[in-house]
Amino acid sequence: MTTPQGTSRATFAVGDEFSAKRIVDLLTESFEEGQAAIAAFESPEGRWDVTVHFADPPDEASIRDLVSLASDDAVAASIVFDSIEAKDWVKESLEGLVPVRAGRFIVHGQHDRDKVRPNQLGIEIEAALAFGTGHHGTTRGCLIYLDYVLRAKAPKRMLDLGTGTGVLAIAAAKATKRRVLATDIDPMSVKVARENMRLNGVGNLVDTVCATGFSSPAFGDRAPFDLILANILANPLRAMSTDMSRHLTRNGMVILSGLLPHQAMSVIAAYRARGLVLRKHQIVEGWSSLLMQRAG
């Protein structure tokens, strides 16, 4: 996708993950495969930096219009277009991410395979879209609770709802050697997740399906679940509380994240109203993660 002369690039920043994901999703849908490489990373200051590398010089006005549609005019106006040396910048950006440890799990790139110790379970992620790579407090919080749950028992039926890059499903499958259903509303995320499943040697254990909520026929012969992982956002978590509880076994557990601390209590209340009990609540890097259990 690069040329000897260089590659065209667009860079800008947005204030939150939800806005960044909306922009990345819209840009991804607007280009054919190989036309653009899009990466979004959270900065230490809390903003999200978005970088797009183009195979050919882009129509700058069209890019600004797309970003404005997904965000606002101010973000669109802030986009900087330039040309840089021809190289795989997405790969280089991923190589700058240090391994992330969460319990027995370690999320890493290909360049850090040798840093996985024998007593750790490595999860290798090389996705161009960096959502859910383990470098966000929500994913790390879920992995910490997953490790906690799996040390007590090995659930027979597991669901990763809103799988993203597939980190949580990979972790569950590697740790238990049991089948996992992984779903996402976004077809691109499903594609990326499947590639990551194969990369991590669990493609035969994880079924990855494009689905909205619990609407897919794939749930028919899988539910009820002993464990559901849902790293999404507060509003959809509240909206799905009834469906989530209906798809849990007695004493089944849910790990919920994607919540700002001030949103946690309303999510806890929604699930308590459906018969679930709060077992643990932690804040990792400014994001809440919850472990809740359905009453027996």
Side-chain angles (χ1 to χ4, degrees):
M1 88 176 252
T2 55
T3 64
Q5 291 76 26
T7 184
S8 297
R9 178 180 66 175
T11 56
F12 57 97
V14 294
D16 60 272
E17 180 185 14
F18 181 73
S19 298
K21 194 173 191 310
R22 276 176 54 103
I23 292 169
V24 170
D25 287 346
L26 186 58
L27 290 174
T28 300
E29 292 171 1
S30 302
F31 289 96
E32 298 293 332
E33 186 172 353
Q35 288 186 328
I38 307 163
F41 298 97
E42 187 179 25
S43 73
E45 295 78 24
R47 72 174 188 274
W48 283 77
D49 296 321
V50 181
T51 304
V52 188
H53 296 90
F54 304 93
D56 301 303
D59 182 333
E60 296 183 10
S62 296
I63 299 300
R64 292 190 195 276
D65 287 344
L66 287 170
V67 171
S68 178
L69 185 64
S71 181
D72 57 45
D73 292 342
V75 173
S78 72
I79 300 174
V80 175
F81 293 92
D82 60 5
S83 181
I84 54 175
E85 177 189 354
K87 62 194 297 185
D88 191 341
W89 288 96
V90 171
K91 179 179 179 181
E92 181 164 294
S93 295
L94 287 168
E95 288 178 349
L97 296 175
V98 298
V100 171
R101 292 172 176 82
R104 83 186 89 169
F105 302 110
I106 177 170
V107 185
H108 64 91
Q110 179 180 355
H111 56 291
D112 282 323
R113 285 178 182 171
D114 59 349
K115 295 183 181 178
V116 181
R117 298 194 295 266
N119 64 335
Q120 293 177 319
L121 289 175
I123 304 167
E124 185 172 320
I125 299 294
E126 296 295 341
L129 307 184
F131 294 100
T133 59
H135 293 82
H136 195 279
T138 59
T139 310
R140 188 161 173 260
C142 287
L143 287 172
I144 290 170
Y145 277 161
L146 176 62
D147 184 46
Y148 172 83
V149 169
L150 296 185
R151 287 186 186 279
K153 63 178 181 179
K156 294 180 179 179
R157 298 189 177 194
M158 295 173 284
L159 166 66
D160 179 11
L161 187 72
T163 192
T165 53
V167 168
L168 301 180
I170 293 168
K174 278 198 167 189
T176 65
K177 301 296 189 291
R178 291 181 172 174
R179 300 194 67 82
V180 181
L181 176 62
T183 68
D184 201 283
I185 193 173
D186 177 27
M188 179 59 70
S189 292
V190 170
K191 179 181 178 183
V192 169
R194 283 176 180 157
E195 292 172 355
N196 285 328
M197 305 303 173
R198 288 193 291 270
L199 176 66
N200 285 271
V202 294
N204 62 324
L205 289 175
V206 183
D207 294 324
T208 312
V209 177
C210 188
T212 301
F214 289 88
S215 64
S216 171
F219 292 101
D221 58 354
R222 294 296 190 89
F225 299 96
D226 303 303
L227 175 64
I228 298 177
L229 304 113
N231 181 14
I232 41 181
L233 294 170
N235 285 339
L237 283 178
R238 283 191 292 263
M240 290 191 293
S241 58
T242 299
D243 278 343
M244 199 90 74
S245 64
R246 288 174 177 169
H247 285 80
L248 272 178
T249 60
R250 290 184 179 182
N251 296 313
M253 308 192 83
V254 293
I255 297 172
L256 309 175
S257 196
L259 315 170
L260 294 170
H262 73 270
Q263 298 170 324
M265 288 310 299
S266 65
V267 174
I268 292 169
Y271 283 78
R272 276 181 174 159
R274 275 77 183 173
L276 276 76
V277 178
L278 178 66
R279 295 302 184 197
K280 285 182 173 292
H281 177 196
Q282 66 178 337
I283 298 176
V284 179
E285 299 169 22
W287 293 88
S288 282
S289 298
L290 310 173
L291 174 61
M292 303 193 72
Q293 184 172 23
R294 183 178 174 184

